[in-house]
Amino acid sequence: MRAFFSSTLVAILLTSLIVSCSQYKDNHLVDGVSRELAIHRKGNISGVIYTLGFSIPVRLDAKIPATLEMEFLLKSKEDVVLDFKPHYTLVDSSLRGAKVNGESCRLLISGEHLVIPSRYVKAGKNRLYLEFDAGEQSLNRRKELLYTLLVPDRARTLFPCFDQPDIKAIYNLSLEIPLLWEAVANGKATTLTSTQYSKRIAFSPTEPISTYLFSFVAGEFQKLSNNRNGREINIWHRENDPLKVGQAGDIFSLIYSSLEWLEDYTAIDYPFTKYDIVIVPGFQYGGMEHMGATLYSDRTMFLEKNATITEELSRAKLIAHETAHMWFGDYVTMEWFDDVWTKEVFANWFASAIVNPLFPQIDHKLNFINSYLPPSYAEDRTPGANAVRQELDNLNNAGLVYGNIIYNKAPVVMDKMVEMLGDSLFRAGIREYLNRFAYGNASWDDLIEILDNHSDFNLKHWSNVWIKEPGRPHLFIASNGDSFETWEEDPLGRDLSWGKQPLEFDLVPDPRGEVYGLVIPDSALLALTIENLSKGRVVDDVARLASVINLYELCYDGFVAEEVFLNLVAGLLVAEQNPIVFSRMAGYLSSVIFEEHHLFTENLLSGLYKESKELYKRNMAFRAFANVVRSKEAANELYKAWDNPSAFEYVTPGERDLMKIAFSLAILFPEKYDHIGSVQSARLTSNDRLEEFLWIFPSVSPDKEVRDSVFSSLLHEQNRVTEPWAEASLGYLNHPLRSLNSIEYITPALEICGEIHRTGDIFFPARWFSALLSGHSSNEAARLVSAYIEGNRELNPFLKQKILQQSYHLYRK
Ligand SMILES: [Zn+2]
């Protein structure tokens, strides 16, 4: 996928936009925030200060009255275009009391924009005052809580603004909230007045920040405070399980360690007023880096009591990731969302560097390979693969730029770059970058220019193929007498070269896990690899993991038979002593490509959870087992574990494990649906989790009519508000055991993908497609997906990529 528009078309659009800025009455402004509008505004507008007030009532259906006072400097006197796309139809009457520079003004409505006619403004400082009803699309409004999530271009759904990352602004916020609620925002809560039913909290002004980082949370929350070396951090949460709340000490400690590491590395003190985190039940991402009010999902922060070391490590990395964003993303921000990957690659790359010393028992080279290669390959191997950096014409497509390529391929590329530069030159370059663009914006080219100056190597040229082109190389290795011959091919026929990668053979190909791409050994080396692995000769963990990952990729792409891979892994799992390698191999067994081999995987995992000596192996194997159970015999075994978990001698499933197992069991034992539902409901200790369970449970009903009605309900936006629940429901409706009955869901679920994109958050479209398609494996499913794509030539190219990525397994045979 390349640019959206040809350059001629861009030129035409640019001209029409310039005209529409001055003659908006004749020309409708383009919806969203076009690149052209953003460039034009950046050239004319600066010094923006928003003063916002929201009055949040208890009643969910009551409107949220709001006020906006906005100060901005104009270079030249011209129409001022604001972005505003509330969920309601924007009419004059929903905007009240507009004044510009003290004078009453009728703002003009043009699609998703408000326009202040030029006659009301002047060059220099201007003031806009406006009363309006807040838009609610990104308010995540629920019974006892509400939180904003405005990334990437959703600030405009809440209030009128210049919604682009390079017009940074200072925010003054005040909130009126129900008396028993708490509120957290970017600034410090400074004043508080209360009445019988409500209270008003004002927050200190922010530093200059981008619209997508402005945030507040309000609701019934409890607060835990902690202090280290004079720095105070608060955790706000709604958890009532003491075992989970008891993990707060670990969380505080991870935050402090991350902050201290970053201050030391960058030589820049934490650049914002305060550091609070909010743990939100059912939060749709792992975390979101709003400074002063960083949001985390309860699932990733509060671990189950039988959590594995890899889950602990993931939590640590998530905290380090969001904390790294305070410097990379929040302090220095990309100019436009085509470079959003730059903040993500820094966050992920630094997260690895920060967490490594905290887990001395873990091999971090091993962990790096395990974290980044498999998810990156999952997208890069498909015809929907995208480049790390993608052209973006309009911010209304920015959410679709995110995916595994940004999060997982980019750190691999970054790692190669740091290796070329060396640690100290890289650090010097990073410090220069942060200082030069402090509280401002920078592009990838700005960064590469700085790093290039620190290096003799032509980084720009090297990085183009990695950053600006999709796909992975095929790397061939063949024995040639005493030596090995290696060569690279571009499977997409573009004749691209990714540059020299150090591919060697020592027992297995790439024993040090240094290459990115599909390594294809000749048949002799493939046989030797499998023999060396199965005979236990590959004692190095990195060599073993790298070769298993590559063999899985070879299996996925048809170079290795499924039976060969499964037999090999069966032997390796029994002997495996490394938790990371074990968990990766056990995870592969629930891959959709082994669905037909479920009797084999059930038996294997059942044996492992019962017979392994190590508790971590039993836990990991049991979780993987619960995912692959299809046969009656295995189902009975799983039922026994769930029915009386305290008598289950092999592992102790956690609350969330049991909830997940209950969903599977309801599918496996349709006649026990009601019983399973009532037993599991009675077990849940938290109201939030009970609500989640009851919400998802009808999707596993034995009654097709009930499931059909669940499916129909998911087609409506209001039933997808808590996205992880909607995703889980769609996944269970399309469970492999129900795939014959759910094939009819495929087309209608694809048909609303435009709406899924417009109304859903960043990761939701890909997750929607994955939940819909990963339980299917039939030719009919493939035919329906192809028919949808072929019948919709105008389909948004980003959405098409996502569908191709998530449906690739349907086409592999
Ligand atoms: Zn991030």
mmCIF file of all heavy atoms in Angstrom, residues 132 163 292 321 368 398 413 417 513 536 731 775:
data_model
loop_
_atom_site.group_PDB
_atom_site.id
_atom_site.type_symbol
_atom_site.label_atom_id
_atom_site.label_comp_id
_atom_site.label_asym_id
_atom_site.label_seq_id
_atom_site.Cartn_x
_atom_site.Cartn_y
_atom_site.Cartn_z
ATOM 1 N N PHE A 132 -21.435 24.810 24.909
ATOM 2 C CA PHE A 132 -21.874 23.724 24.014
ATOM 3 C C PHE A 132 -22.142 22.449 24.831
ATOM 4 O O PHE A 132 -21.796 22.387 26.016
ATOM 5 C CB PHE A 132 -20.809 23.442 22.940
ATOM 6 C CG PHE A 132 -19.493 22.959 23.500
ATOM 7 C CD1 PHE A 132 -19.141 21.610 23.444
ATOM 8 C CD2 PHE A 132 -18.601 23.833 24.112
ATOM 9 C CE1 PHE A 132 -17.936 21.155 23.978
ATOM 10 C CE2 PHE A 132 -17.395 23.386 24.647
ATOM 11 C CZ PHE A 132 -17.067 22.051 24.582
ATOM 12 N N ASP A 163 -7.386 19.961 16.074
ATOM 13 C CA ASP A 163 -7.040 18.593 16.475
ATOM 14 C C ASP A 163 -5.917 18.020 15.616
ATOM 15 O O ASP A 163 -6.136 17.172 14.766
ATOM 16 C CB ASP A 163 -8.288 17.704 16.405
ATOM 17 C CG ASP A 163 -8.136 16.468 17.272
ATOM 18 O OD1 ASP A 163 -7.065 16.289 17.881
ATOM 19 O OD2 ASP A 163 -9.097 15.676 17.339
ATOM 20 N N GLY A 292 0.366 12.570 33.587
ATOM 21 C CA GLY A 292 -0.385 12.931 34.792
ATOM 22 C C GLY A 292 -1.616 12.075 35.012
ATOM 23 O O GLY A 292 -2.173 12.060 36.111
ATOM 24 N N HIS A 321 6.949 1.091 28.990
ATOM 25 C CA HIS A 321 6.544 1.625 27.685
ATOM 26 C C HIS A 321 5.803 2.954 27.859
ATOM 27 O O HIS A 321 6.164 3.966 27.251
ATOM 28 C CB HIS A 321 5.647 0.587 26.983
ATOM 29 C CG HIS A 321 5.049 1.028 25.683
ATOM 30 N ND1 HIS A 321 5.442 0.504 24.472
ATOM 31 C CD2 HIS A 321 4.080 1.930 25.387
ATOM 32 C CE1 HIS A 321 4.751 1.068 23.496
ATOM 33 N NE2 HIS A 321 3.902 1.940 24.027
ATOM 34 N N PHE A 368 13.622 -10.382 23.738
ATOM 35 C CA PHE A 368 13.455 -9.449 22.619
ATOM 36 C C PHE A 368 12.915 -10.199 21.395
ATOM 37 O O PHE A 368 11.934 -9.805 20.780
ATOM 38 C CB PHE A 368 14.808 -8.798 22.314
ATOM 39 C CG PHE A 368 14.720 -7.656 21.334
ATOM 40 C CD1 PHE A 368 14.522 -6.355 21.779
ATOM 41 C CD2 PHE A 368 14.832 -7.877 19.964
ATOM 42 C CE1 PHE A 368 14.442 -5.295 20.882
ATOM 43 C CE2 PHE A 368 14.748 -6.824 19.057
ATOM 44 C CZ PHE A 368 14.555 -5.526 19.529
ATOM 45 N N ALA A 398 -5.971 7.849 10.964
ATOM 46 C CA ALA A 398 -4.761 7.641 11.779
ATOM 47 C C ALA A 398 -4.864 6.389 12.641
ATOM 48 O O ALA A 398 -3.875 5.697 12.852
ATOM 49 C CB ALA A 398 -4.493 8.854 12.657
ATOM 50 N N VAL A 413 13.933 -3.028 13.833
ATOM 51 C CA VAL A 413 14.679 -2.127 12.957
ATOM 52 C C VAL A 413 15.536 -1.169 13.798
ATOM 53 O O VAL A 413 16.714 -0.947 13.526
ATOM 54 C CB VAL A 413 13.702 -1.315 12.069
ATOM 55 C CG1 VAL A 413 14.476 -0.394 11.141
ATOM 56 C CG2 VAL A 413 12.798 -2.252 11.271
ATOM 57 N N MET A 417 19.594 -0.495 14.019
ATOM 58 C CA MET A 417 20.171 0.837 13.834
ATOM 59 C C MET A 417 21.110 1.179 14.998
ATOM 60 O O MET A 417 22.196 1.708 14.801
ATOM 61 C CB MET A 417 19.044 1.857 13.742
ATOM 62 C CG MET A 417 19.479 3.165 13.186
ATOM 63 S SD MET A 417 18.050 4.163 12.754
ATOM 64 C CE MET A 417 17.585 4.753 14.349
ATOM 65 N N GLY A 513 19.985 -15.498 16.657
ATOM 66 C CA GLY A 513 18.735 -14.760 16.507
ATOM 67 C C GLY A 513 18.935 -13.341 16.011
ATOM 68 O O GLY A 513 18.385 -12.398 16.560
ATOM 69 N N GLY A 536 18.215 -32.718 21.247
ATOM 70 C CA GLY A 536 18.629 -31.928 22.410
ATOM 71 C C GLY A 536 20.020 -31.336 22.289
ATOM 72 O O GLY A 536 20.651 -30.976 23.282
ATOM 73 N N GLY A 731 -15.831 -13.194 19.182
ATOM 74 C CA GLY A 731 -14.931 -14.348 19.121
ATOM 75 C C GLY A 731 -15.656 -15.640 19.513
ATOM 76 O O GLY A 731 -15.530 -16.659 18.828
ATOM 77 N N GLY A 775 -11.759 -18.124 14.147
ATOM 78 C CA GLY A 775 -12.364 -19.429 14.417
ATOM 79 C C GLY A 775 -12.757 -20.178 13.152
ATOM 80 O O GLY A 775 -13.148 -21.328 13.209
#
